[in-house]
């Protein structure tokens, strides 16, 4: 049911937790199924210098939070903004139809990250 | 008695069969056992499940070691209450992977339930657990409803809209036994008019059943009342309630008022109204019999605990916090501490079935949330209606 990327990030996440004084907080969720990811970030200049997340929901959506954090830490926000849906899909690996809503979650995380960090610039 | 049960289970294993799957397929036969024989059989299944999770699950083994409980500690039926419990809240955690007794690659299905907090409780089932839950629930439906034909109106969204919701999975298992069915909550709206139309179309062609959360049946009845209409369902019809009696507002619905309204507006007798109790985190399902007594699935054990001292069971008849011991759970330990207050009905059952019968009383007062998928459906319908009225 789960590809290796999802298994690794779900069972051994690196970025779970809270940042004491986050500069940016983004929340992505679906009120019907209950998937919810909360991400906290610190931005230095245009670089995401620290990031953490908390997630609730299916294994794939929890893993999505960790994969997202892993992919943005240390990256420049203007480069993150260039990513597209094809890129998000590749980040998560091969998914079953019941897991593909996590591509939407990944896309929404990126959209909100760009929107919120722009406000800091 | 336990020795005999152990020998019986060994015989099943010697034939190359699974004692759990054989037991789940033998609901009627288990209910026909004497109380002590059934207890001995359950004891063996639960002890074996406990040993399996103790050996396979590092996190759970740590919990057991902390509580100083090992498989050797469980020698008699009374000892079952020593089995360490997992609070249902742990199924909501970011780190709920720790609950798995099998590798994540063995998980076939994720089922969830979302209460008032909106945070889903996710239960992960491996292939054997999916087999077990399908066998167990289907066998309970057969035992209490005997349904193999007819039509059912499901007053809830179709699985296509919320495929991972536990409540909806229950409708799937029932619909497979029927000639036809229809889901009446679509894209966040419930149409009472269409529900009535459907029941009228089926009249004289099928035994007509309704399965739904109680609040949605009351919505349908409110429509019948307003339009000064009543219907007469069939003598073999069932009104099957799922999802609990609390509205998303916190209001507790009265079962007596509900039954009276069903009898008046849907033309059924009291014995045709059947409530069910189940949790996403467990595979043990309970259903009302023809006398309104809710029977626990015979392979599971409901251990009712003193809310102030959870290691103690309260006597039958006394209310307490429900712990479920579920030997059908293979992917995660099925020893779950719920947030529900129930009591075990004392004495013999009116229907002659062996085993436990429960009365649901209320949500545990310190619970941080209440409800399941049904509460969420209720909230979404009300919010959608409020938005429509405003616009």
């Amino acid at each position: 049911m789960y590809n290796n990327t999802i298994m690794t990030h779900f069972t051994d996440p690196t970025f779970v937790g809270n940042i004491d004084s986050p500069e940016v907080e983004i929340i992505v969720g679906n009120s019907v199924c209950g998937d919810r990811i909360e991400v906290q970030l610190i931005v230095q200049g245009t670089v995401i210098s620290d990031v953490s997340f908390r997630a609730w929901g299916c294994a794939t959506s929890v893993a999505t939070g960790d994969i997202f954090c892993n992919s943005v830490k240390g990256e420049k926000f203007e480069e993150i903004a260039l990513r597209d849906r094809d890129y998000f899909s590749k980040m998560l690996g091969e998914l079953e139809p019941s897991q593909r809503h996590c591509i939407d979650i990944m896309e929404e995380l990126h959209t909100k990250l760009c929107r919120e960090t722009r406000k800091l610039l | 008695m336990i020795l005999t049960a152990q020998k019986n289970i060994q015989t099943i294993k010697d034939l190359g069969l699974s004692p759990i799957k054989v037991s789940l397929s033998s609901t009627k036969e288990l209910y026909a056992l004497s109380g002590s024989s059934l207890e001995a059989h359950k004891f063996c299944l639960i002890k074996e499940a406990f040993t399996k999770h103790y050996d396979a699950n590092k996190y759970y083994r740590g919990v057991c070691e902390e509580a100083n409980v090992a498989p050797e500690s469980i020698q008699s039926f009374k000892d079952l209450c020593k089995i360490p419990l997992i609070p249902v809240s742990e199924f909501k955690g970011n780190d709920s992977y720790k609950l798995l007794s099998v590798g994540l690659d063995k998980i076939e299905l994720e089922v969830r339930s979302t209460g008032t907090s909106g945070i889903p409780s996710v239960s992960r089932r491996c292939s054997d657990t999916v087999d077990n839950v399908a066998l167990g629930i289907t066998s309970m439906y057969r035992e209490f409803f005997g349904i193999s034909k007819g039509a059912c109106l499901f007053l809830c969204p179709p699985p296509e809209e919320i495929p991972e919701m536990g409540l909806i999975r229950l409708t799937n298992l029932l619909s497979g036994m029927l000639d036809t069915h229809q889901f009446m909550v679509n894209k966040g709206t419930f149409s009472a008019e269409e529900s009535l139309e459907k029941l009228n179309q089926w009249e004289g062609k099928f035994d007509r059943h309704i399965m739904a959360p109680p609040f949605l049946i009351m919505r349908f009845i409110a429509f019948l009342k307003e339009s000064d209409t009543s219907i007469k369902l069939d003598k073999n019809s069932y009104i099957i309630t799922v999802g609990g009696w609390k509205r998303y507002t916190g209001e507790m619905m009265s079962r007596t008022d509900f039954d009276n309204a069903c009898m008046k507006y849907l033309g059924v007798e009291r014995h045709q109204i059947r409530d069910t109790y189940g949790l996403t985190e467990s595979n043990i399902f309970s259903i009302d019999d023809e006398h309104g007594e809710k029977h626990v699935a015979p392979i599971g054990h409901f251990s009712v605990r003193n809310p102030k001292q959870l290691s103690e069971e309260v006597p039958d008849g006394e209310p307490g916090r429900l712990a479920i011991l579920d030997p059908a759970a293979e992917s995660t330990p099925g020893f779950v501490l719920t947030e529900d207050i129930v009591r075990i009905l004392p004495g013999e059952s009116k229907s002659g079935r062996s085993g436990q019968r429960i009365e649901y009383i209320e949500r545990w007062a310190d619970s941080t949330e209440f409800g399941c998928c049904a509460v969420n459906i209720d909230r979404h319908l009300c919010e959608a209606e409020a938005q429509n009225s405003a616009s």
Side-chain angles (χ1 to χ4, degrees):
Chain A
M1 181 172 176
Y2 310 98
N3 67 47
N4 286 337
T5 305
I6 299 300
M7 281 204 274
T8 304
H9 285 273
F10 175 61
T11 57
D12 190 18
T14 309
F15 294 93
V16 174
N18 291 302
I19 291 173
D20 281 344
S21 303
E23 288 175 289
V24 176
E25 290 187 86
I26 52 180
I27 298 173
V28 168
N30 177 323
S31 64
V32 177
C33 73
D35 277 341
R36 182 179 171 92
I37 300 177
E38 297 175 1
V39 178
Q40 297 178 322
L41 302 122
I42 292 185
V43 183
Q44 284 182 343
T46 61
V47 174
I48 310 295
S49 62
D50 200 5
V51 59
S52 72
F53 83 105
R54 304 262 298 153
W56 298 268
C58 65
T60 310
S61 71
V62 174
T64 298
D66 199 56
I67 294 167
F68 171 77
C69 292
N70 189 46
S71 78
V72 299
K73 187 168 180 183
E75 297 295 318
K76 286 185 177 168
F77 126 81
E78 56 267 38
E79 283 167 13
I80 296 168
L82 297 173
R83 296 174 182 175
D84 59 12
R85 194 169 172 83
D86 189 43
Y87 188 94
F88 306 141
S89 177
K90 284 182 183 141
M91 286 169 80
L92 297 174
E94 187 181 357
L95 299 179
E96 290 189 357
S98 63
Q99 300 165 332
R100 292 184 67 82
H101 65 283
C102 291
I103 302 173
D104 300 333
I105 290 177
M106 185 63 94
E107 184 167 19
E108 199 178 341
L109 283 167
H110 278 82
T111 304
K112 287 192 172 171
L113 170 75
C114 292
R115 193 171 64 209
E116 295 304 314
T117 45
R118 252 188 213 112
K119 290 178 190 168
L120 299 175
L121 299 177
Chain B
M1 201 64 85
I2 285 178
L3 277 178
T4 309
Q6 280 170 337
K7 275 186 196 163
N8 291 341
I9 283 180
Q10 191 55 50
T11 305
I12 295 171
K13 285 183 182 172
D14 290 345
L15 289 167
L17 305 177
S18 150
I20 281 286
K21 287 179 186 168
V22 168
S23 303
L24 285 163
S25 311
S26 308
T27 295
K28 191 177 291 300
E29 292 76 10
L30 290 177
Y31 279 138
L33 293 177
S34 68
S36 53
S37 295
L38 179 56
E39 277 194 356
H41 187 74
K42 283 199 300 193
F43 168 80
C44 294
L45 295 177
I46 292 167
K47 181 174 176 181
E48 195 161 307
F50 173 60
T51 306
K52 196 185 283 182
H53 292 293
Y54 181 89
D55 289 339
N57 186 319
K58 191 177 160 196
Y59 167 74
Y60 186 62
R61 190 180 182 129
V63 172
C64 293
E65 284 171 353
E66 204 167 296
N68 204 22
V69 178
E72 308 80 72
S73 322
I74 312 300
Q75 294 299 328
S76 68
F77 196 78
K78 265 193 339 196
D79 292 335
L80 291 179
C81 74
K82 294 179 186 167
I83 292 178
L85 302 170
I86 296 178
V88 284
S89 55
E90 290 202 19
F91 285 83
K92 295 175 190 286
N94 208 130
D95 55 353
S96 59
Y97 57 83
K98 70 187 183 189
L99 300 177
L100 291 173
S101 299
V102 298
L104 190 61
D105 57 333
K106 298 282 186 296
I107 296 303
E108 178 184 322
L109 183 68
E110 286 185 329
V111 179
R112 66 174 80 198
S113 174
T114 310
T116 48
S117 73
I119 296 174
S121 184
V122 181
S123 173
R124 300 185 171 91
R125 290 183 165 90
C126 61
S127 168
D128 279 329
T129 311
V130 174
D131 286 350
N132 292 348
V133 74
L135 285 170
I137 292 176
T138 307
S139 180
M140 287 292 281
Y141 282 159
R142 289 289 303 146
E143 171 66 12
F144 289 96
F145 307 138
I147 292 177
S148 53
K149 56 185 182 298
C152 191
L153 206 61
F154 294 113
L155 308 187
C156 56
E160 187 184 349
E161 285 188 23
I162 42 174
E164 293 172 342
M165 287 292 177
L167 183 147
I168 302 303
R169 294 267 152 197
L170 292 173
T171 64
N172 281 353
L173 290 169
L174 185 67
S175 65
M177 297 176 168
L178 301 166
D179 299 308
T180 186
H181 64 275
Q182 184 122 350
F183 289 91
M184 301 311 302
V185 175
N186 291 293
K187 295 191 171 62
T189 55
F190 166 62
S191 169
E193 295 91 332
E194 285 172 23
S195 301
L196 178 60
E197 200 181 306
K198 203 71 213 170
L199 286 173
N200 286 337
Q201 279 173 16
W202 286 337
E203 187 177 7
K205 296 177 188 156
F206 305 107
D207 284 331
R208 296 164 295 169
H209 312 290
I210 299 175
M211 187 184 209
F215 83 91
L216 264 165
I217 295 178
M218 286 306 277
R219 272 181 176 237
F220 181 47
I221 289 174
F223 163 77
L224 295 176
K225 210 185 239 179
E226 276 166 25
S227 52
D228 200 22
T229 309
S230 63
I231 55 176
K232 171 94 183 122
L233 292 180
D234 311 286
K235 67 175 185 181
N236 297 320
S237 293
Y238 287 109
I239 307 292
I240 303 166
T241 50
V242 289
W245 293 83
K246 218 165 188 178
R247 299 288 311 271
Y248 83 100
T249 53
E251 173 204 351
M252 190 77 176
M253 297 174 63
S254 153
R255 172 72 194 260
T256 307
D257 292 349
F258 177 84
D259 284 2
N260 289 337
C262 287
M263 289 190 284
K264 184 171 179 184
Y265 290 97
L266 302 175
V268 291
E269 294 182 26
R270 199 178 296 274
H271 69 86
Q272 293 173 277
I273 307 166
R274 305 294 183 90
D275 186 39
T276 61
Y277 175 83
L279 292 180
T280 297
E281 300 85 355
S282 167
N283 306 291
I284 302 300
F285 195 48
S286 307
I287 302 183
D288 282 357
D289 69 11
E290 57 275 31
H291 304 282
E293 293 188 329
K294 194 173 272 95
H295 289 258
V296 177
I299 70 151
H301 183 61
F302 277 15
S303 172
V304 182
R305 305 296 174 92
N306 177 345
K308 290 181 181 150
Q309 182 55 264
L310 286 170
S311 59
E312 286 175 9
E313 284 186 331
V314 298
D316 286 357
E318 298 288 319
R321 193 164 161 196
L322 174 63
I324 300 177
L325 305 182
D326 166 16
E330 311 259 5
S331 42
T332 52
F335 316 115
V336 174
L337 180 63
T338 75
E339 297 188 343
D340 291 325
I341 301 293
V342 306
R343 70 184 189 103
I344 300 289
L345 300 181
E348 303 293 314
S349 75
K350 290 177 188 158
S351 68
R353 290 181 181 92
S354 195
Q356 295 176 297
R357 291 152 293 121
I358 58 152
E359 181 188 357
Y360 179 87
I361 296 174
E362 60 182 351
R363 198 74 167 161
W364 175 47
D366 291 345
S367 171
T368 49
E369 64 170 318
F370 61 86
C372 65
C373 323
V375 163
N376 250 357
I377 297 168
D378 188 10
R379 181 164 56 86
H380 280 279
L381 285 176
C382 288
E383 284 172 1
E385 277 169 11
Q387 270 180 356
N388 285 343
S389 315
S391 59

